Amino acid sequence: MLEEIAFWFFALMIIGSALVVVSSRNMIYSVFALLFTFFGVAGIYVLLYADFLAVTQIMIYIGGILVLLIFGVMLTSKITGVDVKSGQTGKAQMFFAGLISLFIIVLLIYIAVTTKWNTAENPAYEVNSTIEIIGKLLLTNYLLAFESASVLLLVAIIGAALIARRK
Amino acid sequence: MGVGLSNYIVLSAILFGLGIFAIITRKNAILVLMGVELILNSANINFIAFAKFNKLNIDGHIAAIFVIMLAAIEVAVALAIVLNIYQNYKHINVDEIDSLKE
């Protein structure tokens, strides 16, 4: 019962904020609605027994990506007395875009609801915390992916610093 | 009624559709990036929902960790490119950035 209330609360928070993100005229409103979307997703992770991932989501998405996006918005909009607005797309394009995304949503929901997923409905056991298992798996089964990820991070840092330098 | 697997998949599908709408409709490059972030979050919700309903198989969590990390990397590099474009064109309207470097 409490789980249902929590799920509907977080789901409405996610969908409401996502609607503000995709349809607001003011870019700053979009960025701050994205913050609430990320919070809602972290709440959904907690409901799904993913405690380490909820904290990781808040730290990396809100603490890193959202701050980067706010910096991007501030650095690339003419703020001198002008509102930070994005351009307007035409009404016909918005209508067709809405139709396409509605079609994608309906198709995905139809596929998901009518497939017999091979699942065990309730977990057979509950762990106290997933972080120990994640740590062990990252260093045994997924070692190659882990090391390649660190190389990729190094390459991305060098690349981003190189691209964004002032000529 | 309970919260079953379909609830999470429907939520993820709606978030995916909204991300697609943001990518198609928005003209500012940073708002397109926000649409991409919405899509990545929806895929993550799917990964972790399937992990929970499969006797808490942690492989889904590890996939989600890698997706979060790649999203962070991609936003950093994409914003570096966007800043460079802004220096050149003085705007970041994706409709009008249509010429390669001379």
Side-chain angles (χ1 to χ4, degrees), chain A residues 30-32 34-35 37-38 45 55-74 153, chain B residues 30-41 44 64-80:
Chain A
S30 289
V31 173
F32 281 101
L34 197 62
L35 170 98
T37 309
F38 290 155
Y45 288 173
V55 177
T56 306
Q57 160 96 5
I58 293 184
M59 282 196 329
I60 296 186
Y61 261 112
I62 300 182
I65 294 182
L66 199 71
V67 171
L68 265 181
L69 283 173
I70 292 181
F71 270 121
V73 164
M74 290 299 184
L153 270 167
Chain B
I30 298 187
L31 288 167
V32 171
L33 270 172
M34 286 192 221
V36 175
E37 292 309 312
L38 284 180
I39 290 183
L40 288 169
N41 270 310
N44 260 345
I65 285 183
F66 280 111
V67 168
I68 291 181
M69 185 204 63
L70 286 169
I73 293 178
E74 158 209 350
V75 166
V77 174
L79 273 174

Side-chain angles (χ1 to χ4, degrees), chain A residues 103-124:
Chain A
F103 169 69
I104 291 179
I105 292 178
V106 165
L107 184 67
L108 281 175
I109 292 182
Y110 174 73
I111 294 176
V113 168
T114 62
T115 309
K116 292 188 183 37
W117 300 109
N118 200 6
T119 60
E121 261 297 325
N122 281 319

Side-chain angles (χ1 to χ4, degrees), chain A residues 4 21-22 24 27 30-31 38 45 49 53 61 68 72 76 78 89 101 112 119-121 142 152 156 163, chain B residues 2 7 9 17-18 21 25-26 28 30 34 37 41 44 52-53 58-59 61-62 70-71 73 79 84 90 92:
Chain A
E4 288 177 38
V21 169
V22 309
S24 162
M27 265 171 54
S30 289
V31 173
F38 290 155
Y45 288 173
Y49 296 121
L53 254 133
Y61 261 112
L68 265 181
T76 59
K78 301 178 174 50
T89 41
S101 58
T119 60
E121 261 297 325
Y142 298 99
L152 179 66
I163 293 178
Chain B
N7 294 44
I9 299 186
L18 285 173
F21 184 73
T25 323
R26 298 296 218 163
N28 197 329
I30 298 187
M34 286 192 221
E37 292 309 312
N41 270 310
N44 260 345
K52 182 211 174 189
F53 284 97
I58 304 290
D59 294 341
H61 294 202
I62 296 200
L70 286 169
I73 293 178
L79 273 174
N84 222 350
K90 300 295 178 276
I92 42 175

